[in-house]
Amino acid sequence: MGSTSNKCVCDSNLICFIYLQNSGEVSSNQSKVVYVLGGPGSGKSTQCSKIAKHLGFRHLSAGDLLEAEAESGSNDGKMIREYKKEGKLVPSEIIVKLLQKAMQESQNKNFVIDGFPRNEENLSAAENILKIEPNAVLVFDCSEEEMTRRILSRNQGRVDDKIDTIKKRLNVYSESTLPVINYYSSKGKVRKIDAGRPIEEVFDEIKGVFSELNAGQDLGRKESTSN
């Protein structure tokens, strides 16, 4: 069918794109792509939900997609649960498969995606399989103490919300995601957000970044032209 259906150490990942059903790739030619990267408990889902509600983006959470698949009882779901119990990152091919399915089923061409890319393997998959080049990368900066407090306060019975596993998740995040942040920093794409503040203060700063994007300003081009 020829029609189209319509990314310090920090937190969360946002992205907007058009998914091409006939090719399985994502084109950013007519859309804005924003990643939000940050540690567990840094506020990714909260802020992405607000972006979806107030700024018209479809929110896709890599973490939520993985959690839903883990609960489904599928073979991939069982594998995901084992990775999460051990505090390890899920292989990129599983995440990409879930993201592609969610994109294909969505009628909204604009997406806010958090929790991806979390490592260099994810980054390679985003560039080579999904064909995504972000306009901006929001990096949520939040202390480990605050992120741990937030995760423990959820009390939702998740298998990865135990204190020892939380420490592993924070360590994995720091070690795996920092190279991704550095990569996009070198391209002038990163905007650091103080995510330890109240929710509305964080969102006000995020709205400022989106105002730049809505004005047609690519953050990388902006920084490169100002140097």
Side-chain angles (χ1 to χ4, degrees), residues 15-16 37 53 77 81 84 87 100 114 117 125 129 145 147 150 152 158 165 170 172 179 191 216 222:
I15 72 183
C16 304
L37 300 171
K53 179 178 180 179
R81 288 186 68 84
K84 291 175 75 66
Q100 284 182 325
D114 73 71
I129 300 176
E145 292 77 12
M147 287 189 284
R150 292 176 181 180
L152 291 174
R158 284 172 44 162
T165 307
L170 291 171
V172 168
R191 287 292 182 273
K222 177 180 178 181

Side-chain angles (χ1 to χ4, degrees), residues 7 25-26 35 116-117 120-134 183-184 187:
K7 158 195 305 44
E25 297 178 355
V26 174
Y35 289 146
F116 180 89
E120 291 178 290
E121 183 186 37
N122 284 179
L123 173 59
S124 178
E127 293 189 333
N128 299 319
I129 300 176
L130 297 179
K131 306 296 184 183
I132 292 171
E133 174 65 25
Y183 173 74
Y184 285 119
K187 302 179 76 171

Side-chain angles (χ1 to χ4, degrees), residues 8-13 36-44 117-119 137-147 150 168-182 185 190-196:
C8 124
V9 175
C10 48
D11 351 346
S12 84
N13 260 313
V36 184
L37 300 171
S42 58
K44 296 184 295 294
R118 297 180 65 183
N119 57 24
V137 178
L138 302 187
V139 173
F140 285 20
D141 188 15
C142 192
S143 70
E144 289 194 3
E145 292 77 12
E146 176 62 14
M147 287 189 284
R150 292 176 181 180
K168 289 181 182 178
R169 291 172 66 199
L170 291 171
N171 288 336
V172 168
Y173 169 77
S174 296
E175 294 172 2
S176 300
T177 309
L178 187 58
V180 176
I181 295 169
N182 289 339
S185 291
V190 168
R191 287 292 182 273
K192 180 179 175 183
I193 305 293
D194 179 359

